[in-house]
């Protein structure tokens, strides 16, 4: 179909279809598939169904796929035998097949490397004897858990696990990596004062609390090629503390982001629950917009894109109606941020990117939370 330049469909196609580069990686458009935990990998091994799940979205025009969170090679990294792992011969062979199929479909893909820290519950797989570990042995709700405060050896081991996973990602054919530093998991537990009460070099003011994350980034950067993109995902909110904030002001946010950018982050993935909300008083910029302004790095925005309704409610079984993209397009057009990650809409509909890029808005469907239970 031919679209008039002034139609909403033509505007969406024009703005979203612009190519963009992340370090050495050129993406054909601004649409990113957001990472969404999928427990469809028995033994931590992504199978043919997982490869097909991602390749369908690549074939339909998603510019960059960020995989579900995948555990790094540290015994305390996770708490499910069905969440994929990014270590081990069989697990990495499964991931190599995923990357191969995504590339065959014309897509680009990065794994999200993950350690859950103090979120881990005792006795859970894949390594039941491993303790939960975190900066101070505190859970996100501020209570003492059954885990342990990390020693220097623990810190070194986890940093090494992230670096090894990143090197493996490049070796088996991925296009970059994303480090999960958001939502109250391990890296975020160091960044946030609510869970980091350390009195050594890894705790204290915002810059000191950034040291662990910066050392992870630096180790990953050293383990991969200079033009291999390193993305860092972070958030203010936590899974059990939606009102939590790493930074109350732009100055505090700059103090946190600057060491990360200096350590080797190529792009930030600023996670919010609703992308249209301003982050600080006196400005309409969202968290992604502030991140770009403060660091000059490429930034991915995310948060209820294409839908009217908070994604957290999806886990309670709630659906969501289709939402307008006008506000999103306004922000992208003025380069407030560079890319936009789409979660639930792409979870349900593998063709979402193709429909939006072609202006077929009338084919977009409301979100049904039943999509969480399938690999459609």
């Amino acid at each position: 179909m031919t679209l008039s330049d002034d139609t909403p469909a033509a505007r969406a196609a024009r703005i979203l279809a612009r190519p963009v580069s992340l370090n050495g990686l050129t993406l054909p458009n601004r649409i990113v598939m957001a990472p969404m935990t999928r427990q469809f990998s028995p033994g931590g091994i992504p199978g043919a169904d997982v490869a097909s799940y991602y390749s369908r979205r690549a074939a339909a025009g998603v510019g960059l796929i960020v995989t579900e969170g995948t555990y790094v090679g540290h015994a305390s990294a996770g708490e499910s035998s069905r969440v994929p792992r990014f270590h081990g011969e069989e697990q990495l062979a499964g991931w190599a097949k995923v990357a191969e199929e995504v590339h065959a479909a014309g897509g680009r893909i990065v794994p999200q490397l993950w350690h859950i820290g103090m979120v881990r519950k005792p006795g859970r797989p894949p390594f039941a004897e491993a303790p939960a570990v975190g900066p101070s042995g505190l859970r996100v709700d501020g209570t003492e858990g059954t885990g342990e405060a990390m020693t220097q050896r623990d810190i070194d081991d986890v940093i090494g696990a992230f670096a090894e996973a990143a090197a493996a990602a490049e070796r088996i054919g991925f296009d970059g990596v994303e480090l999960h530093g958001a939502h109250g998991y391990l890296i975020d537990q160091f960044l946030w004062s609510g869970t980091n009460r350390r009195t050594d070099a890894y705790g204290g003011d915002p810059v000191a609390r950034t040291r662990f994350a910066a050392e992870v980034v630096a180790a990953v950067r050293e383990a991969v090629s200079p033009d291999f993109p390193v993305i860092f995902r972070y958030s203010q909110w936590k899974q059990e503390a939606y009102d939590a904030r790493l930074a109350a002001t732009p100055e505090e946010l700059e103090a946190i982001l600057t060491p990360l950018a200096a350590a080797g982050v190529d792009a930030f993935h600023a996670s919010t629950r609703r992308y249209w909300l301003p982050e600080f008083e006196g400005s309409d910029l969202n968290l992604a917009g502030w991140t770009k302004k403060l660091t000059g790095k490429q930034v991915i925005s995310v948060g209820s894109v294409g839908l009217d309704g908070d994604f957290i409610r999806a886990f309670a079984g709630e659906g969501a109606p289709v939402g307008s993209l006008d506000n999103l397009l306004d922000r992208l057009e003025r380069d407030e941020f560079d890319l936009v990650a789409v979660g639930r809409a792409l979870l349900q509909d593998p063709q979402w990117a193709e429909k939006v890029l072609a202006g077929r808005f009338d084919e977009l469907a409301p979100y049904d939370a039943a999509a969480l239970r399938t690999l459609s």
Side-chain angles (χ1 to χ4, degrees):
M1 120 179 117
T2 301
L3 300 174
S4 169
D5 287 344
D6 60 355
T7 65
R11 181 169 179 256
R14 181 180 72 251
I15 294 170
L16 289 169
R18 296 174 298 165
V20 63
S21 293
L22 299 180
N23 197 348
L25 179 66
T26 298
L27 305 176
N29 60 57
R30 304 303 176 104
I31 299 174
V32 176
M33 182 176 181
M36 292 170 280
T37 302
R38 314 293 282 144
Q39 297 197 47
F40 290 96
S41 298
I45 305 166
D49 54 348
V50 174
S52 295
Y53 163 76
Y54 287 120
S55 64
R56 280 193 292 274
R57 280 125 182 112
V62 172
L64 176 66
I65 291 169
V66 181
T67 74
E68 63 210 282
T70 176
Y71 300 147
V72 297
H74 185 263
S76 299
E79 63 171 357
S80 171
S81 60
R82 295 184 59 84
V83 168
R85 306 202 291 271
F86 217 84
H87 61 98
E89 185 175 348
E90 290 182 276
Q91 288 81 5
L92 291 177
W95 278 121
K97 185 65 175 176
V98 171
E100 178 184 341
E101 292 201 15
V102 166
H103 290 155
R108 300 290 182 268
I109 185 168
V110 301
Q112 186 187 70
L113 306 180
W114 190 23
H115 193 303
I116 70 172
M118 287 297 300
V119 173
R120 176 175 165 78
K121 298 177 181 63
R124 297 292 296 271
F127 305 104
E129 300 305 314
V133 296
S136 303
L138 297 175
R139 299 197 178 280
V140 172
D141 61 7
T143 62
E144 291 188 9
T146 55
E148 303 172 359
M150 292 171 71
T151 65
Q152 185 63 54
R153 179 172 180 176
D154 294 329
I155 288 172
D156 293 342
D157 287 347
V158 171
I159 291 171
F162 273 98
E164 289 171 13
E170 184 172 25
R171 185 174 67 250
I172 65 177
F174 278 81
D175 300 296
V177 292
E178 176 170 289
L179 309 178
H180 196 339
H183 306 163
Y185 297 114
L186 181 64
I187 294 177
D188 193 23
Q189 289 162 22
F190 274 87
L191 294 175
W192 187 42
S193 61
T195 42
N196 186 346
R197 308 288 176 80
R198 297 177 74 99
T199 57
D200 63 2
Y202 293 94
D205 64 22
V207 173
R209 295 197 305 271
T210 304
R211 178 172 175 170
F212 174 73
E215 289 185 357
V216 170
V217 172
V220 165
R221 181 78 276 162
E222 186 176 353
V224 298
S225 300
D227 60 351
F228 192 70
V230 175
I231 304 168
F232 188 90
R233 194 179 211 212
Y234 83 100
S235 67
Q236 297 262 43
W237 66 276
K238 320 302 170 199
Q239 292 281 13
E240 298 177 29
Y242 296 146
D243 59 351
R245 296 174 73 77
L246 295 180
T249 66
E251 291 76 19
E252 289 181 2
L253 184 61
E254 185 174 21
I256 293 167
L257 297 179
T258 297
L260 298 175
V265 169
D266 296 301
F268 287 95
H269 189 170
S271 178
T272 55
R273 296 165 65 202
R274 304 171 183 88
Y275 78 85
W276 55 87
L277 295 180
E279 192 57 40
F280 302 113
E281 290 185 9
S283 170
D284 290 334
L285 290 177
N286 70 0
L287 186 63
W290 274 109
T291 301
K292 182 170 183 178
K293 180 176 181 177
L294 295 171
T295 68
K297 298 289 186 177
Q298 304 279 51
V299 182
I300 305 168
S301 188
V302 67
S304 301
V305 172
L307 296 172
D308 248 340
D310 193 318
F311 78 93
I312 293 295
R313 296 175 183 171
F315 295 101
E318 291 188 26
V322 174
S324 171
L325 294 176
D326 289 344
N327 185 296
L328 175 75
L329 296 174
D330 289 343
R331 292 167 182 264
L332 276 169
E333 192 166 33
R334 61 179 180 253
D335 293 322
E336 180 176 325
F337 41 77
D338 304 283
L339 299 110
V340 58
V342 182
R344 287 168 296 161
L346 267 173
L347 184 70
Q348 173 170 292
D349 184 359
Q351 306 299 315
W352 188 89
E354 179 181 284
K355 292 172 182 177
V356 170
L357 290 170
R360 289 155 39 200
F361 294 164
D362 58 332
E363 297 180 27
L364 301 179
Y367 173 72
D368 183 345
L372 282 171
R373 300 189 292 274
T374 69
L375 273 179
S376 62

